[in-house]
């Protein structure tokens, strides 16, 4: 076991929690956006559509950079097999717990909300399997991707560590944001070309739920995960991200404008999705600088209130999705204003999620199932719930 000095990264903990919690306004605004979802308002809201697109354009890219950062930090603290076991348990157990307790009831509810309950028996075996793959994984997809990335990390992190020990000059020692942007632009083009090739020759693979989560999503977020690990290793790279860059801010603004234009004028039958992946690959990188630099200055402190939400963020994220769908199906239609409905939805979902979080803290079995961590016999009522890194 390699022991690394434990230096608490308060700003990264906070950013990770807020990115997780941003899933709540993201999904509630999805109800009122022009995007088709499980439940939608009668009339879409322009500003909530833009707000929804803004969150969606960068949130998970930055999240996976932080995940790679903390994953490699823990990799240096444990023997390899122990590291893999700890990481997989802490993301896999909550995911497996949420399927029967959250996404399965959510799927059954949606069958009746959308009037599809009677159609189920007419589906082929593959269609039933594929529907369940999409609906049962649902908003848990990032946990599945983290399990895959952790497994790939067994080889990737060993390679990174060997390079450190051999004192080989790494590419990141002389990196600049401009060079990184070009690298991620190339990665985005490569990913888009790969997706287009599949679309032409094997189109059915792109509609397969498990293939989408395990292969396509993993490949897209893999560069961000590796970048996070390299950020932990390379002090220059970390300094690059926590130092404000006007060019990154300007580039991120232009990137989001391009994202919106593509969403508005693009067509799924053309190159809309491929263009989106190129844009979000670069935009995600630029937003790492924007988010890290702001977080380093505004969130790099210890606070009981912030710590509470850092600890609660995973649980709140897991339960917010079915709560949002409940709100969208039965409460939102009674509210005429989209803006008022959005605010009411935030109050309902966050309030309900916090109450459920407090209740689950008082049940040791649920604390274990939603954290993946063994619970001490004598835990205080407000024991912390683990977060995926």
């Amino acid at each position: 076991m390699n022991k690394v000095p434990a230096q608490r990264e308060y700003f990264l903990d906070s950013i990770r929690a807020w990115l997780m919690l941003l899933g709540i306004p993201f999904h509630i605004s999805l109800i009122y956006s022009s995007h088709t979802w499980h439940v939608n308002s009668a009339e879409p809201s322009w500003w909530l559509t833009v707000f929804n697109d803004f969150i969606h354009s960068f949130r998970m890219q930055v999240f996976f950079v932080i995940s790679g950062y903390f994953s490699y930090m823990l990799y240096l603290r444990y023997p390899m097999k122990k590291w893999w076991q700890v990481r997989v348990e802490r993301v896999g157990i909550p995911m497996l717990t949420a399927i029967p307790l959250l996404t399965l009831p959510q799927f059954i509810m949606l069958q009746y909300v959308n009037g599809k309950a009677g159609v189920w028996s007419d589906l082929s075996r593959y269609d039933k399997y594929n529907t369940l793959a999409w609906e049962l994984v649902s908003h848990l997809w990032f946990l599945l991707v983290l399990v895959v990335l952790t497994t790939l990390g067994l080889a990737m992190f060993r390679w990174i560590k060997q390079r450190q020990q051999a004192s080989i000059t790494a590419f990141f020692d002389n990196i600049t944001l401009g060079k990184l942007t070009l690298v991620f632009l190339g990665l985005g083009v490569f990913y888009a070309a790969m997706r287009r090739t599949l679309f032409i020759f094997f189109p059915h693979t792109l509609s397969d739920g498990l293939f989408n989560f395990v292969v396509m999503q993993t490949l897209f977020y893999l560069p961000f995960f590796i970048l996070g690990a390299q950020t932990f290793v390379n002090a220059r790279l970390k300094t690059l991200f926590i130092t404000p860059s006007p060019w990154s801010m300007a580039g991120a603004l232009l990137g989001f404008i391009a994202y919106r234009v593509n969403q508005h004028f693009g067509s799924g039958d053309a190159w809309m999705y491929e263009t989106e992946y190129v844009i979000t690959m670069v935009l995600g990188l630029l937003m790492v600088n924007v988010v890290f630099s702001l977080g380093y200055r505004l969130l790099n402190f210890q606070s009981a209130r912030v710590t509470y939400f850092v600890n609660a963020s995973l649980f709140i994220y897991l339960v917010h999705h079915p709560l949002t769908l409940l709100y969208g199906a039965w409460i939102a239609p009674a509210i005429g204003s989209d803006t008022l409905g959005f605010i009411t939805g935030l109050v309902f979902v966050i309030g309900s999620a916090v109450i459920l979080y407090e209740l689950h803290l008082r049940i040791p079995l649920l604390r274990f199932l939603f954290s993946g961590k063994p619970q001490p016999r004598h835990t205080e009522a407000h024991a912390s719930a683990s977060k995926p890194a």
Side-chain angles (χ1 to χ4, degrees), residues 163-179:
R163 292 174 64 213
Q164 281 183 278
Q165 292 173 344
S167 300
I168 300 174
T169 302
F171 168 76
F172 293 101
D173 288 339
N174 300 301
I175 197 65
T176 64
L177 282 175
K179 290 179 181 178

Side-chain angles (χ1 to χ4, degrees), residues 26 35 70 123-124 126 141 160 178 181 186 193 197 215 243 246 253 260 262 268 290 305 320 322 328 358 374:
F26 168 73
H35 303 299
F70 283 121
L123 297 179
S124 66
Y126 173 77
W141 66 268
I160 293 174
T181 301
T197 302
V215 179
T243 303
L253 177 60
R260 278 291 302 151
N262 185 57
V290 174
R305 185 174 300 175
H320 92 276
E358 288 293 328

